[in-house]
């Protein structure tokens, strides 16, 4: 009897599996018509948006071993309107499931760009874990820049931005979900890494080969009455990333200067509005206070035996204690940071004037590092406060730990709060 019931259950389960399988769309995707977008650039173009898509092109042969990519750009009144124009005018239908990097042009970030973030957050076309970054200049220029670091510029950027998450370094990374969550917190503080392009004389593999043609075509949409510009630049067979998306970017021989990317600076936002920029050193100290640190390097200068010593200190751990209280009617924020140092490399030994490497940092070095970190954290707060940017999230802490006082101080906490930083550096034993 038990065997009969078991067989009956298995038969019903088999029928249900067959029903789900045969009613599903099991057709293969035609890779020859699919544009797999790996990075997206969004720039302001007057009343429209200009979308630049870096696309990994599927190869029809099994002999192709190198990455191939193309740069496609189009304009539209909305973000997906521009993306759809890429498909309708080129025949390549965009797929955003593998888009892990979204870059905003600096001009767009100074406008109201939060509707774009909200669209990405709620749309099933985008992954909420896609990294957000800002470009100095235009996002199109960043994505179109060839780099010696990788065949595809987006892959080089991802390697810079997505370092080990347990390392406090000079890159302040965020994604769509985290950015939207931070904007809607009590403090409204959010951030993005700022990508700057730096020229280099190094050549990407394939630069010495014959040039790759770049074309720009303009399409007039009679129905909407506005012009959509599609510019394409493709590299097949392992060349460098597309040469800028327009023919004037290429040299006479089809080559182009290569660039590397610097993402150490960061843009701070208040309620989704552009506030200010902090440099790489400030970003490093901010990360040391707010993130777990297993490996980072600090430049320190100090005097010893009458000589100025320049050194690099390896920080292999950190601990912090942040408190927010209301004392004598004033919100008081105190951050205690402890950095664990391991090694020190100095420019010249004070006794021999030679390069030296020590397993432990000197007392003078530890003291100088603590003072420098404390001063830098204070400068970040002073700069951000001028733009009403709650960089250390005082409102969030006040709402969490002193909720009864939050209504009284939520509008002026940045101007009246007492903010104190205490930094201590020790050698890790």
């Amino acid at each position: 009897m038990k065997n009969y019931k078991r067989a009956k259950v298995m038969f019903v389960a088999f029928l249900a599996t067959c029903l789900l399988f045969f009613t599903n769309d099991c057709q293969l995707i035609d890779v020859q018509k699919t544009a797999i977008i790996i990075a997206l650039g969004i720039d302001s173009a007057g009343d429209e948006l200009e979308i630049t898509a870096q696309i990994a092109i599927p190869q029809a042969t099994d002999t192709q071993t190198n990455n191939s990519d193309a740069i496609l750009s189009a304009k539209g009144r909305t973000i997906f309107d521009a993306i759809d124009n890429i498909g309708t005018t080129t025949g390549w239908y965009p797929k955003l499931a593998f888009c892990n990097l979204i870059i905003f042009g600096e001009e767009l970030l100074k406008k109201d760009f939060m509707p774009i973030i909200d669209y990405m957050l709620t749309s099933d076309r985008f992954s909420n874990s896609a990294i957000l970054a800002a470009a100095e200049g235009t996002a199109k220029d960043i994505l179109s820049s060839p780099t010696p670091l990788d065949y595809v510029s987006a892959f080089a950027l991802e390697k810079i931005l997505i370092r080990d998450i347990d390392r406090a370094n000079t890159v302040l990374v965020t994604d769509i979900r985290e950015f939207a969550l931070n904007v809607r917190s009590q403090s409204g503080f959010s951030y993005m890494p700022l990508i700057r392009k730096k020229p280099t004389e190094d050549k990407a593999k394939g630069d010495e080969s014959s040039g790759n043609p770049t074309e720009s075509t303009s399409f007039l949409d009679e129905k909407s009455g506005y012009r959509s510009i599609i510019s394409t630049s493709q590299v097949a067979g392992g060349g460098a990333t597309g040469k800028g998306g327009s023919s004037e970017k290429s040299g006479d021989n089809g080559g182009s200067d290569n660039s590397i990317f610097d993402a150490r600076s960061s843009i701070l936002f208040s309620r989704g509005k552009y506030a200010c920029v902090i440099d790489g050193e400030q970003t490093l100290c901010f990360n040391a206070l707010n993130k777990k640190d297993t490996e980072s390097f600090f430049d320190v200068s100090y005097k010893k035996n009458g000589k100025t010593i320049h050194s690099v200190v390896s920080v292999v751990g950190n601990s912090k204690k942040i408190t927010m209280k209301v004392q004598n009617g004033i919100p008081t924020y105190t951050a205690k940071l402890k950095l664990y140092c391991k090694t020190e490399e100095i420019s010249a030994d004070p006794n021999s004037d030679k390069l030296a490497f020590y397993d432990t940092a000197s007392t003078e070095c530890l003291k100088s590092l603590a003072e420098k970190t404390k001063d830098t954290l204070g400068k970040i707060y002073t700069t951000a406060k001028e733009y009403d940017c709650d960089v250390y999230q005082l409102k969030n802490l006040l709402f969490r730990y002193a909720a009864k006082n939050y209504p009284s101080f939520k509008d002026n906490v940045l101007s009246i709060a007492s903010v104190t930083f205490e930094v201590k550096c020790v050698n890790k034993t």
Side-chain angles (χ1 to χ4, degrees), residues 7-129:
K8 187 176 181 180
V9 171
M10 293 180 64
F11 180 72
V12 172
F14 174 76
L15 291 179
T17 303
C18 291
L19 179 65
L20 292 174
F21 179 79
F22 289 111
T23 56
N24 190 21
D25 183 7
C26 298
Q27 293 181 350
L28 295 176
I29 299 175
D30 187 355
V31 297
Q32 296 297 320
K33 296 182 180 180
T34 302
I36 302 174
I37 297 178
I38 56 177
L40 203 66
I42 307 176
D43 292 301
S44 176
D47 295 333
E48 297 178 339
L49 296 174
E50 182 176 14
I51 303 298
T52 303
Q54 188 162 47
I55 298 172
I57 303 176
Q59 299 297 317
T61 173
D62 57 1
T63 61
Q64 179 70 29
T65 58
N66 293 320
N67 293 321
S68 180
D69 77 303
I71 299 292
L72 303 179
S73 63
K75 295 180 181 179
R77 290 193 174 95
T78 65
I79 181 171
F80 202 77
D81 182 26
I83 294 175
D84 186 61
N85 281 337
I86 294 177
T88 57
T89 52
T90 64
W92 289 77
Y93 301 101
K95 298 292 182 183
L96 293 165
F98 299 97
C99 181
N100 297 321
L101 177 62
I102 300 172
I103 304 176
F104 293 91
E106 195 170 12
E107 182 181 350
L108 177 62
L109 293 178
K110 295 180 179 179
K111 300 180 179 180
D112 183 13
F113 69 99
M114 280 307 298
I116 298 176
I117 299 293
D118 293 337
Y119 170 75
M120 293 178 177
L121 183 67
T122 56
S123 174
D124 57 0
R125 295 186 176 95
F126 291 88
S127 171
N128 289 346
S129 61

Side-chain angles (χ1 to χ4, degrees), residues 219-267:
F219 299 88
L220 181 63
D221 190 330
E222 300 293 344
K223 184 176 179 180
S224 62
Y226 69 95
R227 187 171 298 277
S228 173
I229 301 176
I230 304 293
S231 58
T232 64
S233 177
Q234 177 179 345
V235 177
T241 300
K243 306 291 187 287
S246 58
S247 57
E248 63 270 12
K249 289 280 185 177
S250 299
D252 295 335
N253 60 352
S256 178
D257 293 336
N258 291 293
S259 301
I260 56 176
F261 304 112
D262 183 355
R264 291 176 292 180
S265 299
S266 306
I267 299 180

Side-chain angles (χ1 to χ4, degrees), residues 32-33 53 94 97 100 111 140 169 213 235 254 280 288 297 304 306 326 346-347 350 373 392 415 425:
Q32 296 297 320
K33 296 182 180 180
N100 297 321
K111 300 180 179 180
K140 181 177 181 180
N169 50 65
V235 177
F297 301 93
K304 188 173 183 179
V326 177
I346 66 175
S347 58
T373 304
Y392 294 117
S415 59
C425 298

